[in-house]
Amino acid sequence: QAHADLVRLVIGAAHSFSLGVVAEGVEEDDQLRALRDARCDAAQGYLLGRPRSATELSALATAGRG
């Protein structure tokens, strides 16, 4: 519970300064749910997608244009 309180506190503080918040290292559904409930702006981590090489990202970007 202390960790969840700290996350909400940090998100609230950032928002009070009109800053966006990106949570890193999201690996479980309950983490993502808690971040959504805390109004986190964005998230990244293994739950959402595995790391990719620059070559893979370039190929994906090129495919998306066509």
Side-chain angles (χ1 to χ4, degrees), residues 10-44:
V10 170
I11 292 169
H15 287 170
S16 71
F17 289 100
S18 299
L19 298 172
V21 179
V22 179
E24 186 173 323
V26 179
E27 297 182 3
E28 300 175 9
D29 288 325
D30 61 327
Q31 291 172 324
L32 184 58
R33 239 184 328 274
L35 290 165
R36 283 182 179 149
D37 290 346
R39 301 186 52 180
C40 187
D41 300 298
Q44 61 186 31

Side-chain angles (χ1 to χ4, degrees), residues 40-56:
C40 187
D41 300 298
Q44 61 186 31
Y46 283 117
L47 178 66
L48 304 168
R50 301 285 184 201
R52 296 180 186 254
S53 70
T55 303
E56 290 175 302

